Amino acid sequence: AGVVDRAAAARPDAWPAADVAIDFSIREAVPRTLAMLAARGTNVVIGTTGWQDHEPALRAAVERAGIGVVAAANFSIGVNLFTAMVEQAASLMVAYPAFGAYLHELHHAAKRDAPSGTALALHAAMTARGYDLPVNVASTRAGSIPGTHTVGFDAPAETITLTHTARDRTGFARGALEAARWVRGKRGWFTMRDVLRLSSPEPRAPSPERSNA
């Protein structure tokens, strides 16, 4: 076990031996770091966001190297369960366009990407469940907020909201460690859905019958 700091980043021969590496660095570093870890045969947990344009090439490199990767926008167990709840809500609410959908995420002022990777994953999860109505996505960057995500459905007379709030960052660390234990010795590209044994949602076509009630 050990840590690869900025000084050692360019010298993989000096990296400590490990079965699994956990990468929470910056998006620009992910493609190069993953390539070097793949060459060493080291499985990887990736918690950095914003690098998804490189995902097809990275998946191919992982397959060639025969290593295992768990990549997720958010490693909090609660967030992943929250995502499953949002999927179910989206499949119900698509039939009721009178409820306008929105997604609001709040993070600390130092967070670089906006919307957050988790917000993008939530939106994608809604779409995968057949929610083809507009979703207004907003971001707030202020202070030291660890992370809050709200998905809402608002109608003239009522509002439905689902919210996950992180009180601190320990939940992310626990989830990443759980992912590292789970991926040890495995091969392939995985997500936290695999780690938590959550069944993959079946894509649903948009409902042909919609109510304006």
Short mmCIF file of all heavy atoms in Angstrom, two decimals, residues 87-127:
data_model
loop_
_atom_site.label_atom_id
_atom_site.label_comp_id
_atom_site.label_asym_id
_atom_site.label_seq_id
_atom_site.Cartn_x
_atom_site.Cartn_y
_atom_site.Cartn_z
N GLU A 87 -34.52 6.36 -10.83
CA GLU A 87 -34.92 5.58 -12.01
C GLU A 87 -36.39 5.18 -11.92
O GLU A 87 -37.15 5.29 -12.88
CB GLU A 87 -34.05 4.34 -12.13
CG GLU A 87 -32.61 4.62 -12.53
CD GLU A 87 -31.74 3.39 -12.41
OE1 GLU A 87 -32.23 2.35 -11.89
OE2 GLU A 87 -30.57 3.45 -12.82
N GLN A 88 -36.77 4.69 -10.75
CA GLN A 88 -38.15 4.26 -10.57
C GLN A 88 -39.11 5.45 -10.67
O GLN A 88 -40.18 5.34 -11.30
CB GLN A 88 -38.31 3.57 -9.21
CG GLN A 88 -39.71 3.06 -8.91
CD GLN A 88 -40.16 1.96 -9.86
OE1 GLN A 88 -39.35 1.33 -10.51
NE2 GLN A 88 -41.46 1.76 -9.93
N ALA A 89 -38.74 6.58 -10.06
CA ALA A 89 -39.58 7.77 -10.15
C ALA A 89 -39.75 8.22 -11.59
O ALA A 89 -40.85 8.59 -12.03
CB ALA A 89 -38.99 8.90 -9.31
N ALA A 90 -38.67 8.19 -12.36
CA ALA A 90 -38.74 8.62 -13.76
C ALA A 90 -39.68 7.74 -14.56
O ALA A 90 -40.44 8.24 -15.41
CB ALA A 90 -37.34 8.59 -14.38
N SER A 91 -39.65 6.44 -14.29
CA SER A 91 -40.53 5.53 -15.03
C SER A 91 -42.00 5.78 -14.71
O SER A 91 -42.87 5.56 -15.55
CB SER A 91 -40.15 4.08 -14.74
OG SER A 91 -40.49 3.72 -13.41
N LEU A 92 -42.28 6.27 -13.51
CA LEU A 92 -43.66 6.61 -13.13
C LEU A 92 -44.08 7.97 -13.68
O LEU A 92 -45.19 8.14 -14.19
CB LEU A 92 -43.80 6.60 -11.61
CG LEU A 92 -43.63 5.26 -10.89
CD1 LEU A 92 -43.59 5.49 -9.38
CD2 LEU A 92 -44.76 4.31 -11.25
N MET A 93 -43.19 8.96 -13.59
CA MET A 93 -43.56 10.34 -13.89
C MET A 93 -43.61 10.67 -15.37
O MET A 93 -44.18 11.70 -15.76
CB MET A 93 -42.59 11.30 -13.18
CG MET A 93 -42.59 11.18 -11.66
SD MET A 93 -44.22 11.40 -10.92
CE MET A 93 -44.57 13.10 -11.37
N VAL A 94 -43.05 9.82 -16.22
CA VAL A 94 -43.05 10.12 -17.65
C VAL A 94 -44.48 10.21 -18.19
O VAL A 94 -44.73 10.89 -19.20
CB VAL A 94 -42.22 9.07 -18.43
CG1 VAL A 94 -42.91 7.70 -18.41
CG2 VAL A 94 -41.97 9.53 -19.86
N ALA A 95 -45.42 9.57 -17.55
CA ALA A 95 -46.82 9.61 -18.00
C ALA A 95 -47.55 10.87 -17.56
O ALA A 95 -48.71 11.07 -17.91
CB ALA A 95 -47.57 8.37 -17.48
N TYR A 96 -46.86 11.76 -16.80
CA TYR A 96 -47.52 12.94 -16.24
C TYR A 96 -46.71 14.21 -16.58
O TYR A 96 -46.01 14.75 -15.73
CB TYR A 96 -47.68 12.79 -14.73
CG TYR A 96 -48.54 11.59 -14.37
CD1 TYR A 96 -47.95 10.36 -14.10
CD2 TYR A 96 -49.93 11.69 -14.34
CE1 TYR A 96 -48.73 9.25 -13.80
CE2 TYR A 96 -50.72 10.60 -14.04
CZ TYR A 96 -50.11 9.38 -13.77
OH TYR A 96 -50.89 8.27 -13.49
N PRO A 97 -46.81 14.69 -17.82
CA PRO A 97 -46.01 15.84 -18.24
C PRO A 97 -46.38 17.14 -17.55
O PRO A 97 -45.63 18.13 -17.65
CB PRO A 97 -46.26 15.91 -19.75
CG PRO A 97 -47.58 15.25 -19.94
CD PRO A 97 -47.63 14.15 -18.92
N ALA A 98 -47.50 17.18 -16.83
CA ALA A 98 -47.84 18.39 -16.08
C ALA A 98 -46.84 18.64 -14.96
O ALA A 98 -46.72 19.77 -14.46
CB ALA A 98 -49.25 18.27 -15.50
N PHE A 99 -46.13 17.60 -14.56
CA PHE A 99 -45.06 17.74 -13.56
C PHE A 99 -43.75 18.01 -14.30
O PHE A 99 -43.19 17.14 -14.96
CB PHE A 99 -44.91 16.46 -12.74
CG PHE A 99 -46.01 16.24 -11.73
CD1 PHE A 99 -47.21 15.68 -12.11
CD2 PHE A 99 -45.82 16.59 -10.40
CE1 PHE A 99 -48.22 15.47 -11.18
CE2 PHE A 99 -46.83 16.38 -9.46
CZ PHE A 99 -48.04 15.83 -9.85
N GLY A 100 -43.26 19.24 -14.21
CA GLY A 100 -41.99 19.58 -14.84
C GLY A 100 -40.83 19.06 -14.01
O GLY A 100 -40.78 19.24 -12.79
N ALA A 101 -39.88 18.43 -14.67
CA ALA A 101 -38.75 17.81 -13.97
C ALA A 101 -37.56 18.76 -13.87
O ALA A 101 -37.28 19.53 -14.79
CB ALA A 101 -38.33 16.53 -14.66
N TYR A 102 -36.87 18.68 -12.74
CA TYR A 102 -35.63 19.45 -12.58
C TYR A 102 -34.63 18.66 -11.75
O TYR A 102 -34.99 17.75 -11.00
CB TYR A 102 -35.90 20.82 -11.93
CG TYR A 102 -36.42 20.77 -10.51
CD1 TYR A 102 -35.55 20.77 -9.42
CD2 TYR A 102 -37.79 20.74 -10.26
CE1 TYR A 102 -36.04 20.74 -8.12
CE2 TYR A 102 -38.28 20.71 -8.97
CZ TYR A 102 -37.40 20.71 -7.90
OH TYR A 102 -37.87 20.67 -6.61
N LEU A 103 -33.39 19.03 -11.92
CA LEU A 103 -32.29 18.40 -11.19
C LEU A 103 -31.35 19.50 -10.73
O LEU A 103 -30.84 20.27 -11.55
CB LEU A 103 -31.56 17.41 -12.11
CG LEU A 103 -30.69 16.31 -11.50
CD1 LEU A 103 -30.34 15.26 -12.57
CD2 LEU A 103 -29.40 16.86 -10.91
N HIS A 104 -31.15 19.60 -9.44
CA HIS A 104 -30.30 20.66 -8.88
C HIS A 104 -29.21 20.01 -8.04
O HIS A 104 -29.50 19.21 -7.16
CB HIS A 104 -31.13 21.61 -8.02
CG HIS A 104 -30.34 22.78 -7.50
ND1 HIS A 104 -30.73 23.51 -6.41
CD2 HIS A 104 -29.16 23.34 -7.91
CE1 HIS A 104 -29.85 24.46 -6.18
NE2 HIS A 104 -28.89 24.38 -7.08
N GLU A 105 -27.96 20.36 -8.34
CA GLU A 105 -26.84 19.82 -7.55
C GLU A 105 -26.03 20.97 -6.97
O GLU A 105 -25.84 22.01 -7.60
CB GLU A 105 -25.98 18.88 -8.38
CG GLU A 105 -25.39 19.46 -9.66
CD GLU A 105 -24.00 20.01 -9.51
OE1 GLU A 105 -23.45 19.96 -8.37
OE2 GLU A 105 -23.45 20.50 -10.50
N LEU A 106 -25.56 20.77 -5.73
CA LEU A 106 -24.76 21.77 -5.01
C LEU A 106 -23.47 21.13 -4.53
O LEU A 106 -23.49 20.03 -3.95
CB LEU A 106 -25.53 22.32 -3.81
CG LEU A 106 -26.90 22.95 -4.04
CD1 LEU A 106 -28.00 21.88 -3.94
CD2 LEU A 106 -27.16 24.04 -3.02
N HIS A 107 -22.35 21.82 -4.75
CA HIS A 107 -21.05 21.34 -4.28
C HIS A 107 -20.19 22.52 -3.83
O HIS A 107 -20.52 23.67 -4.06
CB HIS A 107 -20.31 20.58 -5.39
CG HIS A 107 -20.82 19.19 -5.59
ND1 HIS A 107 -21.88 18.90 -6.44
CD2 HIS A 107 -20.44 18.00 -5.06
CE1 HIS A 107 -22.12 17.60 -6.42
NE2 HIS A 107 -21.26 17.03 -5.59
N HIS A 108 -19.07 22.17 -3.23
CA HIS A 108 -18.12 23.17 -2.73
C HIS A 108 -17.55 24.01 -3.87
O HIS A 108 -17.54 23.61 -5.04
CB HIS A 108 -16.99 22.48 -1.96
CG HIS A 108 -16.30 21.40 -2.76
ND1 HIS A 108 -15.23 21.66 -3.58
CD2 HIS A 108 -16.56 20.07 -2.86
CE1 HIS A 108 -14.83 20.53 -4.16
NE2 HIS A 108 -15.63 19.55 -3.73
N ALA A 109 -17.08 25.18 -3.52
CA ALA A 109 -16.64 26.15 -4.52
C ALA A 109 -15.44 25.67 -5.34
O ALA A 109 -15.23 26.13 -6.46
CB ALA A 109 -16.29 27.47 -3.83
N ALA A 110 -14.67 24.72 -4.81
CA ALA A 110 -13.46 24.27 -5.52
C ALA A 110 -13.75 23.19 -6.56
O ALA A 110 -12.86 22.84 -7.34
CB ALA A 110 -12.44 23.74 -4.52
N LYS A 111 -14.96 22.66 -6.60
CA LYS A 111 -15.27 21.60 -7.57
C LYS A 111 -15.25 22.19 -8.97
O LYS A 111 -15.91 23.19 -9.24
CB LYS A 111 -16.62 20.96 -7.28
CG LYS A 111 -16.94 19.78 -8.19
CD LYS A 111 -18.17 19.03 -7.71
CE LYS A 111 -18.54 17.90 -8.67
NZ LYS A 111 -17.48 16.88 -8.76
N ARG A 112 -14.53 21.55 -9.87
CA ARG A 112 -14.28 22.14 -11.18
C ARG A 112 -15.39 21.88 -12.19
O ARG A 112 -15.73 22.75 -12.99
CB ARG A 112 -12.96 21.60 -11.75
CG ARG A 112 -11.74 21.97 -10.92
CD ARG A 112 -10.47 21.53 -11.59
NE ARG A 112 -9.27 21.88 -10.82
CZ ARG A 112 -8.03 21.70 -11.24
NH1 ARG A 112 -7.81 21.18 -12.44
NH2 ARG A 112 -7.01 22.04 -10.49
N ASP A 113 -15.92 20.65 -12.20
CA ASP A 113 -16.90 20.33 -13.24
C ASP A 113 -18.32 20.67 -12.80
O ASP A 113 -18.67 20.54 -11.64
CB ASP A 113 -16.80 18.85 -13.64
CG ASP A 113 -16.96 17.91 -12.46
OD1 ASP A 113 -16.43 18.24 -11.38
OD2 ASP A 113 -17.61 16.86 -12.60
N ALA A 114 -19.11 21.14 -13.76
CA ALA A 114 -20.51 21.45 -13.51
C ALA A 114 -21.27 21.27 -14.82
O ALA A 114 -20.84 21.81 -15.84
CB ALA A 114 -20.67 22.88 -12.99
N PRO A 115 -22.34 20.52 -14.85
CA PRO A 115 -22.92 19.78 -13.71
C PRO A 115 -21.98 18.69 -13.21
O PRO A 115 -21.07 18.28 -13.93
CB PRO A 115 -24.21 19.18 -14.29
CG PRO A 115 -24.47 19.91 -15.57
CD PRO A 115 -23.13 20.33 -16.08
N SER A 116 -22.23 18.22 -12.03
CA SER A 116 -21.41 17.17 -11.45
C SER A 116 -21.58 15.87 -12.23
O SER A 116 -22.59 15.66 -12.92
CB SER A 116 -21.80 16.93 -10.00
OG SER A 116 -23.11 16.38 -9.91
N GLY A 117 -20.60 14.99 -12.09
CA GLY A 117 -20.72 13.68 -12.73
C GLY A 117 -21.93 12.92 -12.23
O GLY A 117 -22.58 12.20 -12.99
N THR A 118 -22.25 13.10 -10.96
CA THR A 118 -23.42 12.43 -10.39
C THR A 118 -24.71 12.96 -11.01
O THR A 118 -25.63 12.20 -11.32
CB THR A 118 -23.46 12.61 -8.87
OG1 THR A 118 -22.27 12.05 -8.31
CG2 THR A 118 -24.66 11.93 -8.26
N ALA A 119 -24.78 14.28 -11.21
CA ALA A 119 -25.97 14.86 -11.84
C ALA A 119 -26.14 14.33 -13.27
O ALA A 119 -27.26 13.99 -13.68
CB ALA A 119 -25.86 16.39 -11.86
N LEU A 120 -25.06 14.23 -14.00
CA LEU A 120 -25.13 13.70 -15.36
C LEU A 120 -25.57 12.24 -15.34
O LEU A 120 -26.35 11.79 -16.19
CB LEU A 120 -23.77 13.84 -16.05
CG LEU A 120 -23.30 15.28 -16.30
CD1 LEU A 120 -21.89 15.27 -16.87
CD2 LEU A 120 -24.25 16.01 -17.24
N ALA A 121 -25.07 11.48 -14.34
CA ALA A 121 -25.45 10.07 -14.22
C ALA A 121 -26.93 9.94 -13.87
O ALA A 121 -27.63 9.04 -14.37
CB ALA A 121 -24.58 9.38 -13.18
N LEU A 122 -27.43 10.82 -13.02
CA LEU A 122 -28.84 10.80 -12.66
C LEU A 122 -29.72 11.10 -13.88
O LEU A 122 -30.74 10.43 -14.12
CB LEU A 122 -29.13 11.81 -11.55
CG LEU A 122 -28.62 11.44 -10.15
CD1 LEU A 122 -28.67 12.65 -9.23
CD2 LEU A 122 -29.42 10.28 -9.56
N HIS A 123 -29.32 12.11 -14.64
CA HIS A 123 -30.07 12.44 -15.85
C HIS A 123 -30.07 11.27 -16.83
O HIS A 123 -31.10 10.93 -17.42
CB HIS A 123 -29.46 13.69 -16.50
CG HIS A 123 -30.33 14.29 -17.56
ND1 HIS A 123 -29.88 15.29 -18.39
CD2 HIS A 123 -31.59 14.00 -17.96
CE1 HIS A 123 -30.85 15.62 -19.23
NE2 HIS A 123 -31.91 14.85 -18.99
N ALA A 124 -28.91 10.64 -17.00
CA ALA A 124 -28.82 9.50 -17.90
C ALA A 124 -29.68 8.34 -17.42
O ALA A 124 -30.30 7.63 -18.22
CB ALA A 124 -27.36 9.05 -18.03
N ALA A 125 -29.74 8.15 -16.09
CA ALA A 125 -30.56 7.08 -15.52
C ALA A 125 -32.03 7.33 -15.81
O ALA A 125 -32.80 6.39 -16.11
CB ALA A 125 -30.32 6.97 -14.02
N MET A 126 -32.46 8.60 -15.73
CA MET A 126 -33.85 8.93 -16.04
C MET A 126 -34.16 8.64 -17.51
O MET A 126 -35.20 8.05 -17.84
CB MET A 126 -34.11 10.40 -15.72
CG MET A 126 -34.01 10.74 -14.24
SD MET A 126 -34.12 12.52 -13.90
CE MET A 126 -35.86 12.82 -14.28
N THR A 127 -33.25 9.04 -18.38
CA THR A 127 -33.44 8.81 -19.81
C THR A 127 -33.51 7.32 -20.12
O THR A 127 -34.33 6.88 -20.94
CB THR A 127 -32.30 9.47 -20.60
OG1 THR A 127 -32.27 10.87 -20.31
CG2 THR A 127 -32.49 9.27 -22.10
#
